[in-house]
Amino acid sequence: MGTSLAEQLAAFGRGAEAARRGLASCPLPAARSGPAGEATGGPAGEATVVADRPDGTVVRIGPVVSKAHAPGSDPAALAARLRIAAHPRLGGVLLPPLPVSRDGDLLGVLHDGRPATLWPAGEPVSPDEPDAAPWEEAAVLLARLHSVPPAELAGPVPPMRGPAKAARAIARLRAAAWTSEGATERVTATATERGSGAEPGPATVLRAWDALPPWARGEAPPPRARALCHGDWHLGQLVRHPAFHGPWLLIDVDDLGIGDPAWDLARPAAWFAVGLLAPGVWQRFLDAYRSSGGPAVRPEGDPWPELDVPARALTVQSAALALAKAPAGRRPLDEAERALLDACARMAGSEPGTHTADPEPGGMSRAARP
């Protein structure tokens, strides 16, 4: 019987810590499952699985976590992103990685060939306390990240992978088996729902995707590729370190790189536009970003000329993933996922960039808004 990925990660984490301290490595107990984002973990040396997804698996061992990155990750690009995260210019913004060897290497390789990294354990945002979510703190961190001159960072900076990640979500949707009844059906771009009376589904999402400009689909360079971006920001990309009392820091650098900084604001912008984020929360987030000198949107006035296309793309990405995942989970779409699908239906009938002013939350009252 082969060694599981979690067991490989547990051994990697213990071995890396031992190597850094000049100690002999010793076996770890088998990794156990725990709630995703668990902050406390078990006793020192006990391995706990805190996340297990196709794009990454994370195991906690005492005060550190080890992460297996997605199969097929570009090692050179990942190494460059790790160097950026460890750069003093990003101190207080990005959680820095830990060395995996006494020589200071930041990137290791598991027995199955997947790249692996080591990080300090932190406290994530609690999903049980939405009113305490650190929206303003996150906005300040993003503004600081976007303001770092890429020329000051060591080595070449790879492109931000947000649009490429959206394209992967669409590819996953095309490959998924889906109908509203849960029966098997191959999703194709030629499927049609218009005029059928059916609620929005895969073909609606694909039409909204096709309406996006090539750069937002990962098919061309973005017109505003000038800032260091996170690439996949949401509240799950924050931890307090040291846990419970330290400052908030950004985590997960797999998509970090040069791109349009509006992409990092696009998910909360889209949530606000479809009615999933309260107007007051969105305004606090936007105000904190602007007051910290964030370059993604103009300093005052309507932010939607910059946010329109990225917000559409994140809406489509989220809807595509919802449709792709629901059948595997044998569950219907929830209210938030249906709101994203409804937004895709409205987007499919409008051209990107046809904004006027801030949208009215909960609908696309100006037709162009997701």
Side-chain angles (χ1 to χ4, degrees), residues 65-317:
V65 295
S66 52
K67 177 177 179 177
H69 297 262
S73 296
D74 180 343
L78 181 54
R81 293 180 168 104
L82 292 169
R83 286 196 301 270
I84 293 170
H87 196 283
R89 194 67 174 79
L90 277 303
V93 178
L94 293 173
L95 182 72
L98 296 172
V100 300
S101 72
R102 295 184 70 180
D103 295 330
D105 300 312
L106 298 176
L107 185 61
V109 180
L110 300 179
H111 293 307
D112 67 358
R114 290 178 66 167
T117 51
L118 200 66
W119 305 84
E123 176 198 5
V125 176
S126 173
D128 300 325
E129 299 179 11
D131 293 339
W135 287 103
E136 290 95 330
E137 293 91 335
V140 172
L141 289 172
L142 290 173
R144 291 177 61 191
L145 177 70
H146 297 162
S147 299
V148 173
E152 294 185 8
L153 303 174
V157 180
M160 182 265 287
R161 299 200 311 167
K165 193 160 192 171
R168 290 197 300 273
I170 292 298
R172 182 172 175 179
L173 174 61
R174 293 183 193 275
W178 169 264
T179 64
S180 58
E181 292 78 24
T184 299
E185 174 182 336
R186 181 67 57 178
V187 176
T188 67
T190 58
T192 180
E193 294 151 356
R194 191 178 297 276
S196 66
E199 56 181 29
T204 300
V205 175
L206 294 173
R207 284 197 301 273
W209 175 253
D210 290 340
L212 293 170
W215 77 264
R217 302 196 303 263
E219 299 170 2
R224 296 202 313 152
R226 55 181 171 79
L228 183 63
C229 306
H230 183 277
D232 185 34
W233 187 79
H234 50 79
L235 286 175
Q237 306 288 32
L238 291 167
V239 296
R240 280 191 185 276
H241 180 72
F244 303 112
H245 58 81
W248 290 104
L249 297 170
L250 299 172
I251 62 170
D252 190 354
V253 297
D254 291 69
D255 302 304
L256 182 80
I258 299 295
D260 183 346
W263 198 275
D264 286 344
L265 277 59
R267 187 176 269 111
W271 289 349
F272 159 64
V274 303
L276 300 177
L277 185 65
V281 175
W282 163 248
Q283 195 61 53
R284 295 201 316 269
F285 174 80
L286 182 62
D287 289 346
Y289 181 84
R290 282 173 156 167
S291 65
S292 299
V297 295
R298 58 199 64 194
E300 56 185 22
D302 181 13
W304 289 98
E306 292 82 25
L307 293 176
D308 182 70
V309 170
R312 286 170 176 264
L314 266 295
T315 300
V316 174
Q317 174 183 323

